Amino acid sequence: MLVESIVFALIGLVVGLAALLALPAYFPAARALVLGTAVAAALVGGAVAAFGLAGRYPAGAAFAAAVASVVLTSMLARPDVAAGRAPAHRHHPHRGGAHRAPRRHRPA
């Protein structure tokens, strides 16, 4: 299990470095956070897969480690920040520039 753990950690490191090198603007968080997330996700994903596969298919466990690392690292990506625009808001209280007066309750 030690050798597999080292392989999983290396897979996570490769995924994290590839994400930072390919899309550096998408990751405004600290580089250590991105790399740490990638490595931790690969270790956990690989360990769960290795136990689930009963250690019979180390290539399958390595693939699962890579998938887990990619998925969790992509959760840190911020394409809205990379494009230089503000995050989209769900509510538009002042559409059209008109300001609404506050509602007043009528006495019953």
Side-chain angles (χ1 to χ4, degrees), residues 13-85:
L13 191 63
V14 167
V15 168
L17 287 173
L20 288 174
L21 291 175
L23 302 167
Y26 276 40
F27 298 98
R31 305 296 185 226
L33 177 65
V34 175
L35 291 174
T37 300
V39 170
L43 284 170
V44 171
V48 169
F51 286 123
L53 297 172
R56 293 185 194 147
Y57 304 103
F63 179 74
V67 168
S69 183
V70 166
V71 168
L72 287 180
T73 303
S74 70
M75 299 294 274
L76 298 174
R78 297 284 311 270
D80 57 335
V81 173
R85 58 183 179 200

